[in-house]
Amino acid sequence: MKDSSDILLTAFEGQGALPQELRDQALERFKATGLPTRRMESWKFTHLRALEGFDFAAAKETHAGTDRLPSLVGQGAARCRLVFVNGVFEAELSDSLPEGLSFERLSQGVPGWAEDHLGRIAEADAESPLLDLNTALAGEGPLLRVERGRKLNAPIELVLLDASGEKAAATQWRGLLVMEENSEATLIEHHISQGGASFTNGALEISLGQGARLKHIRNQQKNREALILTNTQVRVARDADYRALLLVLGGAVAREDYKIRLVGQGAHCGLNASYLLDGEQHSDITTVVEHLAPHTTCDEAIKGALDGKSRGVFQGLIKVARDSQQIEGNQSHRALLLSGDAEVDAKPELEIYADDVKCSHGATVGELDREALFYLRSRGLPLRDARRLLIGSFLTDVIESFGAEDLTPALVAALDDKLDSLAGDGA
């Protein structure tokens, strides 16, 4: 009987589009390890048992249900939207490109400007077999470049939609964004699914040249039968600034891996994330920030709220290389348990090889403030509304502090929709 690894290899056979040498090496490593197991340290809290019951096949193109696509951009405002349905680019649903932005499709070959970046930024290790699987077999995805000195006024919106057919849709997308020197842009990802179960194994590589600035928002609103696993790796050059906001609301099992390398003096990264889970949802956010140059800074702020039998995982590592003096790295994870059956596992870590640094980390798990709850109820608010207000305020703080004021209302609205759907007195 075939296991899940064999089924995946069969489903995507012949679809690889990255350079052959990289694909061969990655495939060899994946065959040696197979899918991640809980015997791997970074997968201790997340298992992929759900894959064992999947009857999946590589997703095929479909136009079903694509008349209403998500957007964080207000009506009438400028934007550049690129739509992929089941991994296939939909030109008719996509917008024209603004000046200064290049877009190529991985399936049509790797352009010269991408050769030094694609498959070179993402570094595989012994516990990233899914990245190896993606490198070996991913056949489609966006390759984007923002020209030197160019400031894009319209955000780039990527819509990645899975639509299931008779079998669960399985997609592997691979993306690349190159921000050339002193360029500036906002990248928004929407991950949504329609129909039944789906499996997504995605990877995104980002390169920020000297002085470049990027705001990167990922909005994950898959349905409750979806498994979504994404590996994001970022290289930040001198005086460049990478800021990410992750909103996790959907999925049955979701894992987000971020690996950010600050390679030039003055480089900065900020990572904000907010997750709201209920039912039996499982979310794993795993981050690694490497300070590889002096005078680099990072700030991480992660907040979550969990209802029902949901489970949240946060694993965060700040690593300071030898001679990377005068750096500052801060990491914070806070979670609210809204039911007695919900669970959170947190593993913050510091690994420091320099002596002139400022680093901090903290993780707390608690319940709703009973005094605040009593105060709101004493003012006439029903229990459900009082709890909803407190949970919303707790999670919205991360979104508002990200610094994308024009996009905040749409993100908060998505969070409010999820709050409305929580059952019982959980909200």
Side-chain angles (χ1 to χ4, degrees), residues 101-117:
L101 173 65
S102 301
F103 166 59
E104 312 275 352
R105 295 173 53 189
L106 177 60
S107 60
Q108 296 181 338
V110 180
W113 59 263
E115 290 178 352
D116 291 338
H117 305 282

Side-chain angles (χ1 to χ4, degrees), residues 325-338:
Q325 306 292 355
Q326 298 189 340
I327 70 96
E328 183 167 353
N330 300 301
Q331 178 193 94
S332 167
H333 171 256
R334 299 173 62 192
L336 285 177
L337 295 180
L338 306 176

